[in-house]
Amino acid sequence: MTMLQSVLLLLLSVPLIKLAPPAQQDPRITYHYETDHSEETLFSQDSEDKYLDRKNIKEKETVILPDEKSVQLQKDESVTPPSPKKESDEMPTCLLCVCLSGSVYCEEVDIDAVPPLPKESAYLYARFNKIKKLTAKDFADIPNLRRLDFTGNMIEDIEDGTFSKLSLLEELTLAENQLLKLPVLPPKLTLFNAKYNKIKSRGIKANTFKKLNNLSFLYLDHNALESVPLNLPESLRVIHLQFNNITSITDDTFCKANDTRYIRDRIEEIRLEGNPIILGKHPNSFICLKRLPVGSYF
């Protein structure tokens, strides 16, 4: 029995070995491979879908809806207009002009108004510019000014009180402008120059010079004056009135008609040439003077 069983087992095993197909042709293995690939593809697709889903969820989670304040802030920032230009944003005076030891030189720089001055300024030279008007605020905070020179501008108007706070001002030059009248002048002036303007006699008040007890030099030549200004102070040394329209003078213009002993000894020069007046017709008008005025006597 043992021998027979061994033979039977051998016979049964032989056809099984012959019938065994090659591994690559086994449809089951092929099927299993395809299944594995399909499963891998499905897994990959599924993983990608899950990844995208997670990404979308994450993106949705990271979207922060702004509150009303942030929206309003963004809106305000987007429409906020530029702030207006302040005076401090303008070019500083000492870059536009030259500032040196209390003196400010703003000559021929085409300014059309008085620039902001350093508070310690004592002298301002703003010659040959395009300034048309002087105002009280131009010098309101500069009390130490001693000299102002606006020669060669286009000044037509000077506000009342423009020089009222300049108690130390000694020299004021407004020559070669377009003035029709004179402003109130500061009390300590020693020199006033307004030649080459368009000033008429009605543009000078009767007391304009009366209280200027330190005034030594007065230049009003090349204007449109019809008469010599009234109440000229005793302190005057030089008076220039040449090339106006002066047609007459009186015994009280320079002297005192009721005081024959009166001598005006400080006056060194009076110029009246270029006026339509014959000085020889008014001999009593100069009897108090040490020197006769310059002008036509015949």
Side-chain angles (χ1 to χ4, degrees):
M1 289 297 292
T2 305
M3 189 67 175
L4 182 59
Q5 290 176 351
S6 299
V7 172
L8 289 173
L9 290 171
L10 182 60
L11 291 173
L12 291 172
S13 62
V14 170
L16 290 172
I17 295 173
K18 289 182 179 179
L19 294 173
Q24 64 272 17
Q25 294 179 0
D26 191 344
R28 290 176 299 171
I29 297 176
T30 302
Y31 172 78
H32 290 307
Y33 175 78
E34 291 174 355
T35 302
D36 293 340
H37 181 72
S38 300
E39 289 178 356
E40 182 178 351
T41 303
L42 290 172
F43 175 77
S44 298
Q45 183 66 37
D46 184 64
S47 298
E48 185 176 353
D49 292 342
K50 289 181 179 179
Y51 171 76
L52 292 173
D53 290 339
R54 288 197 301 272
K55 184 178 179 182
N56 291 335
I57 291 171
K58 187 174 182 180
E59 289 177 352
K60 289 179 180 179
E61 290 176 349
T62 56
V63 174
I64 301 174
L65 294 177
D67 57 18
E68 293 181 1
K69 291 183 179 179
S70 62
V71 171
Q72 185 63 35
L73 180 59
Q74 292 175 359
K75 184 177 180 181
D76 291 343
E77 291 177 349
S78 63
V79 298
T80 300
S83 58
K85 201 169 188 180
K86 299 179 181 178
E87 281 189 6
S88 57
D89 295 333
E90 299 283 352
M91 181 179 289
T93 299
C94 291
L95 289 181
L96 178 66
C97 309
V98 176
C99 300
L100 182 64
S101 299
S103 298
V104 181
Y105 299 87
C106 289
E107 299 176 310
E108 298 183 271
V109 291
D110 289 335
I111 54 176
D112 57 9
V114 178
L117 300 174
K119 289 189 176 182
E120 67 275 10
S121 299
Y123 307 96
L124 171 62
Y125 302 91
R127 296 180 286 206
F128 307 109
N129 287 291
K130 298 178 180 178
I131 300 172
K132 293 184 178 180
K133 185 176 182 178
L134 299 180
T135 67
K137 67 179 182 180
D138 290 335
F139 313 107
D141 299 320
I142 321 293
N144 296 321
L145 282 169
R146 295 179 180 274
R147 181 183 299 160
L148 291 174
D149 191 343
F150 291 100
T151 299
N153 280 273
M154 299 183 290
I155 301 172
E156 299 175 346
D157 184 36
I158 300 177
E159 280 186 4
D160 291 338
T162 295
F163 308 115
S164 61
K165 294 184 178 181
L166 303 183
S167 59
L168 301 179
L169 191 66
E170 296 175 349
E171 298 183 15
L172 176 59
T173 299
L174 300 169
E176 300 177 40
N177 282 280
Q178 304 294 320
L179 290 173
L180 297 174
K181 62 180 181 178
L182 294 184
V184 176
L185 301 175
K188 290 189 178 181
L189 279 186
T190 61
L191 180 149
F192 179 67
N193 185 348
K195 65 182 180 181
Y196 286 97
N197 277 276
K198 299 178 180 180
I199 303 167
K200 294 186 177 183
S201 292
R202 65 173 178 268
I204 302 178
K205 295 180 180 179
N207 59 351
T208 296
F209 299 107
K210 186 175 183 179
K211 295 182 179 180
L212 303 185
N213 296 322
N214 295 320
L215 188 64
S216 296
F217 303 91
L218 177 62
Y219 303 101
L220 290 172
D221 52 281
H222 295 86
N223 277 281
L225 300 176
E226 298 90 2
S227 61
V228 177
L230 299 175
N231 298 314
L232 295 178
E234 295 284 334
S235 57
L236 279 171
R237 294 169 53 193
V238 174
I239 305 172
H240 282 191
L241 297 169
Q242 68 270 27
F243 297 98
N244 279 280
N245 293 322
I246 297 173
T247 57
S248 65
I249 54 176
T250 68
D251 293 350
D252 289 313
T253 300
F254 300 110
C255 302
K256 295 181 179 179
N258 297 326
D259 188 356
T260 56
R261 296 182 179 181
Y262 171 71
I263 302 296
R264 195 160 190 165
D265 56 358
R266 291 188 182 181
I267 287 185
E268 299 172 2
E269 181 181 67
I270 298 176
R271 293 185 59 178
L272 287 167
E273 75 271 22
N275 286 282
I277 183 174
I278 305 300
L279 299 180
K281 294 181 178 181
H282 307 278
N284 293 333
S285 298
F286 316 120
I287 60 174
C288 67
L289 302 177
K290 291 183 176 181
R291 297 179 180 87
L292 290 175
V294 177
S296 175
Y297 284 85
F298 303 100

